[in-house]
Amino acid sequence: MNNSVTHTARLLGAGLRALLVLTLVTGVLYPLAVTGVAQTLFPGRANGSEIRADGRVVGSSLIGQRYDLPPEKGQQGSRPDLRWFQGRPANGLGVNSINTRYTLLLSGATNLAADNTVLVRQVQDAKAAVIKDNSVPGYRVRASEVPADAVTSSGSGLDPDISPQYARIQVHRVAAENGLPVTRVAKLVADHTEGRTLGFMGEPRVNVLELNIALKALVAQH
């Protein structure tokens, strides 16, 4: 009987020591090591890829934002602020209906089939709006020039980037709205156009938030 109790106690002791060691290694040392490496080698990405302007964090390079005018009294929906470059549509976003204390958006796609009449109407309306908003005296956007990312939302609805083609379509409108030379605004787009990752992955892109920060600085200088 005593031998059995002693053996059980030894097993419990060994199990407890194993638990403590594994907790120390996997719950303390490993997370500290990973965090230390990330903070040392990739501090920006480790901290959420934050973008700062005017001494404060204004967003993340990984999450898109909207650039809308403040809603007027009785207004249904919002209107884009045409002084700024606009991102992709965000038709797949939902609103958190459980935690109503904060304004939280849920990322997601529309999940509509390509021949769905709702999606077709959304694309048609978005295309008409792109042509109307970006056509200014001396420059008119043709329907054939409107790229797919200008009229469709991404899988998450939070894509921070647009194609260089969509950015270039907006140059004349942004220049006119801000009283800037078209060449200066076009150079902003060129300067903020990123190529394919490692030269072969993905597509060329323009981060809208970073572009609008540069635009704000240009307007202040003008």
Side-chain angles (χ1 to χ4, degrees), residues 11-62:
L11 289 177
L12 291 175
L16 180 59
R17 287 192 297 272
L19 175 62
L20 292 175
V21 170
L22 289 174
T23 299
L24 178 63
V25 172
T26 63
V28 179
L29 298 180
Y30 178 73
L32 286 176
V34 171
T35 301
V37 170
Q39 290 291 342
T40 301
L41 300 180
F42 315 103
R45 295 180 181 180
N47 293 318
S49 300
E50 296 174 341
I51 296 179
R52 305 182 71 89
D54 301 325
R56 62 189 181 90
V57 175
V58 296
S60 168
S61 63
L62 303 177

Side-chain angles (χ1 to χ4, degrees), residues 5-218:
V5 172
T6 301
H7 181 67
T8 301
R10 288 175 179 174
L11 289 177
L12 291 175
L16 180 59
R17 287 192 297 272
L19 175 62
L20 292 175
V21 170
L22 289 174
T23 299
L24 178 63
V25 172
T26 63
V28 179
L29 298 180
Y30 178 73
L32 286 176
V34 171
T35 301
V37 170
Q39 290 291 342
T40 301
L41 300 180
F42 315 103
R45 295 180 181 180
N47 293 318
S49 300
E50 296 174 341
I51 296 179
R52 305 182 71 89
D54 301 325
R56 62 189 181 90
V57 175
V58 296
S60 168
S61 63
L62 303 177
I63 300 176
Q65 299 186 21
R66 297 186 65 88
Y67 303 90
D68 294 334
L69 292 167
E72 298 177 358
K73 186 176 181 180
Q75 176 184 328
Q76 292 289 336
S78 57
R79 294 180 297 135
D81 189 340
L82 298 181
R83 296 174 301 170
W84 305 104
F85 285 93
Q86 297 293 317
R88 298 183 64 172
N91 296 322
L93 292 182
V95 178
N96 191 318
S97 60
I98 299 176
N99 186 351
T100 57
R101 182 177 178 184
Y102 305 101
T103 303
L104 301 177
L105 295 177
L106 306 178
S107 66
T110 62
N111 289 328
L112 299 176
D115 60 350
N116 185 283
T117 56
V118 174
L119 179 61
V120 172
R121 173 54 59 185
Q122 288 178 351
V123 170
Q124 291 174 339
D125 291 345
K127 192 169 188 177
V130 168
I131 294 173
K132 176 179 178 293
D133 290 343
N134 294 287
S135 295
V136 297
Y139 175 79
R140 176 168 178 77
V141 178
R142 296 190 296 269
S144 59
E145 296 175 324
V146 179
D149 63 296
V151 297
T152 57
S153 58
S154 64
S156 67
L158 296 171
D159 192 342
D161 304 319
I162 57 176
S163 65
Q165 174 66 9
Y166 186 26
R168 287 193 291 267
I169 282 177
Q170 302 183 59
V171 164
H172 287 77
R173 182 255 299 163
V174 169
E177 290 285 335
N178 291 282
L180 296 170
V182 171
T183 54
R184 295 289 301 277
V185 180
K187 186 176 186 304
L188 279 186
V189 171
D191 291 343
H192 286 81
T193 298
E194 301 179 44
R196 292 178 172 86
T197 303
L198 299 180
F200 67 94
M201 292 191 296
E203 295 294 331
R205 59 200 181 276
V206 181
N207 186 281
V208 182
L209 176 56
E210 293 177 352
L211 180 59
N212 278 331
I213 291 173
L215 172 63
K216 182 179 179 181
L218 180 60

